[in-house]
Amino acid sequence: MASRPSDSRTLHQVPIIAWASLGPATIHSALGRKNRNDETLLLDADPRSAKSGTLLLGVGTPGEQRFPVGTKAVVIGKDPDADIVLSDPAVSRRHCEVRRTAAGVHIRDLGSRNGTIVGGVPMDSGLLFHASTIRVGETDLYFLSEEEEDVEVTGSEPTHFGAAVGVSPAMRKLFALLERLAPTDLSITLIGETGTGKDVLARALHSRSTRKNNSFVVFDAGAVAATLIESRLFGHSKGAFTGAVSDQQGQFEAANKGTLFLDEIGELGLELQPKLLRALEQRTVVRLGGTAEIPVDVRIISATNRELATEVAEGRFREDLFFRLGVAVVRVPPLRDRREDIPVLIETFAKDLPRPVTFSDAAISLLSAHPWPGNVRELKNAIALAAAVSQTDRLEPSDFFSSSPNRKPEQTLDALPLAGRTLDSIEANAIKQTLIDCNGNKTRAAKALGIASSTLYEKLKKYDL
């Protein structure tokens, strides 16, 4: 398949939350090609095939379009008379068609110059077996079977995914999606604020995948100096730089046959992004200072607290790398948007405490009303601290948010006297207070502030802290 040209697709054409990208399409090859004009004779019925469904274009975007599949063919192409008209220059005038037959939902290439790809497999004619990705030219469409179209919470969705728990509709819907994504080899990007549990979800995805018996390797792009990232990711050869006294494999090699979790991927510098893209596309790595191409077989899960679509639009993140990492881009909601999960999280974290404690109704109400800018991580730390300093086994509101005898909740930003102060002074004070809170640990402080360690060092120098 031709590489994706940077000017052939705009961001609004990219599926941001790919509910339809739930697994590799399984296709049923055309058999007994007796009469090309009568496609119902070309296929054997299969009980696994989708009987009805919908084609989706621009999934998860404001311009999302849905096209029901009926017995009349849905034609896809550049022809103005096509049912789904695409401006993609790599698409033929009448590229392919999809329609419902007695055997199931049938897709047929109409002699296009670039072919029709279903689940990564070039095909001429076949049946769709649920949740299929269809590529025509450089554009992706998605097919959902009739039973897969309803993505609303029905009450039967899971309330946990690995170590992550939640009873809110948002989390149950998220867990249901991740359950379906986990067994596939699709690249997944988790987007969410610091502390929402993206690393926990990544580990759960690995543990439910076909790679679960192999390595789960974590690479934190925000915690490694820019000069060391290439060596850490791809390895280095002896003598590649001062101190390289022996050959060293990188994280890609360490994760071979398993999963590589690229945490804080939004912090990766532009100069290193082409090298990561090449490794992902070629499935090979070259160690720093070496020449041999080393094959690697890894599933990529990445995470960031940045809006990658915005980063792309502003030139800080490569569009082609965004496409490669974000086959499925999944948003993890902040804790303030799912407050009904707080009581169950309190119960879960309490089980891990070194001593048993209970919570008064007033304490639970206080915790449920707090904005939690640090999300689940902040809640967990607050519970651990309260249990450690409290002199009783029943925690009350006074046990939270301060180490003083008269503990009160912290002020929210809305209540602080910020008007009239410069942004630099606000930022400098936020950094100073966070460093104090983290006992001077700069890595923890950078995490709490939601920035890369390298960015924190730059700001410390800027503000002479």
Side-chain angles (χ1 to χ4, degrees), residues 146-412:
E146 186 175 29
E147 59 267 31
E148 292 167 324
E149 289 183 59
D150 181 12
V151 297
E152 297 302 319
V153 174
T154 62
S156 61
E157 289 78 8
T159 57
H160 68 278
F161 185 70
V165 296
V167 296
S168 64
M171 292 307 289
R172 294 177 70 167
K173 185 174 179 178
L174 174 64
F175 294 159
L177 171 59
L178 295 180
E179 288 282 5
R180 298 171 72 184
L181 286 171
T184 76
D185 252 358
L186 294 174
S187 298
I188 300 171
T189 295
L190 303 168
I191 294 183
E193 295 178 6
T194 299
T196 50
K198 300 184 292 295
D199 55 336
V200 175
L201 296 174
R203 289 182 182 278
L205 281 165
H206 172 73
S207 69
R208 283 162 164 73
S209 74
T210 57
R211 299 170 179 266
K212 62 185 178 183
N213 294 323
N214 296 307
S215 299
F216 177 82
V217 176
V218 179
F219 177 78
D220 189 341
V224 179
T227 54
L228 296 177
I229 287 179
E230 184 176 0
S231 171
R232 294 282 181 87
L233 268 180
F234 309 123
H236 62 255
S237 297
K238 180 179 179 180
F241 51 84
T242 303
V245 296
S246 63
D247 291 347
Q248 181 66 50
Q249 72 172 13
Q251 302 292 60
F252 266 93
E253 290 179 72
N256 194 38
K257 304 297 183 182
T259 301
L260 177 58
F261 177 44
L262 302 174
D263 200 6
E264 302 297 351
I265 190 63
E267 307 300 329
L268 189 67
L270 272 171
E271 69 281 1
L272 292 170
Q273 291 177 24
K275 296 180 180 180
L276 175 58
L277 178 65
R278 181 189 177 281
L280 297 177
E281 289 185 335
Q282 303 297 325
R283 296 292 171 178
T284 61
V285 296
V286 177
R287 291 179 178 176
L288 186 64
T291 57
E293 293 190 345
I294 303 169
V296 289
D297 172 18
V298 298
R299 195 242 185 117
I300 300 294
I301 300 174
S302 52
T304 181
N305 59 11
R306 295 178 180 266
E307 285 292 343
L308 288 187
T310 301
E311 296 295 299
V312 170
E314 296 181 357
R316 292 188 294 270
F317 202 85
R318 288 179 62 107
E319 185 181 45
D320 45 8
L321 180 57
F322 173 57
F323 290 145
R324 176 63 65 175
L325 291 172
V327 176
V329 179
V330 180
R331 297 186 180 278
V332 184
L335 190 54
R336 62 182 173 276
D337 290 346
R338 51 185 181 95
R339 294 181 186 275
E340 57 265 61
D341 289 333
I342 292 177
V344 72
L345 287 169
I346 292 172
E347 181 181 348
T348 300
F349 296 147
K351 293 176 182 177
D352 296 330
L353 295 173
R355 66 185 182 96
V357 296
T358 60
F359 298 77
S360 70
D361 290 343
I364 293 175
S365 296
L366 174 72
L367 297 177
S368 298
H370 190 66
W372 298 114
N375 292 292
V376 179
R377 182 184 296 132
E378 184 187 1
L379 172 63
K380 182 176 182 179
N381 291 343
I383 291 172
L385 176 61
V389 300
S390 177
Q391 296 180 350
T392 67
D393 293 335
R394 183 175 177 83
L395 301 184
E396 299 290 347
S398 58
D399 291 307
F400 293 93
F401 303 114
S402 172
S403 58
S404 65
N406 299 311
R407 300 179 180 100
K408 295 181 180 180
E410 296 171 341
Q411 285 181 288
T412 67

Side-chain angles (χ1 to χ4, degrees), residues 96-118:
C96 65
E97 67 176 23
V98 182
R99 68 186 178 103
R100 192 171 73 236
T101 71
V105 175
H106 175 225
I107 183 168
R108 179 165 72 98
D109 186 81
L110 298 176
S112 67
R113 67 179 183 275
N114 290 321
T116 299
I117 313 296
V118 180

Side-chain angles (χ1 to χ4, degrees), residues 4-67:
R4 192 190 308 260
S6 61
D7 60 349
S8 65
R9 298 178 67 191
T10 56
L11 282 177
H12 72 270
Q13 292 174 294
V14 180
I16 300 303
I17 299 184
W19 268 94
S21 296
L22 302 179
T26 309
I27 60 173
H28 185 57
S29 300
L31 301 173
R33 196 175 288 266
K34 299 175 182 178
N35 180 353
R36 188 173 180 84
N37 294 324
D38 184 2
E39 293 297 334
T40 61
L41 299 179
L42 300 182
L43 300 166
D44 291 334
D46 191 306
R48 297 172 299 163
S49 64
K51 305 307 178 189
S52 182
T54 300
L55 291 166
L56 300 94
L57 178 65
V59 177
T61 71
E64 177 180 308
Q65 294 176 276
R66 291 175 170 247
F67 303 88

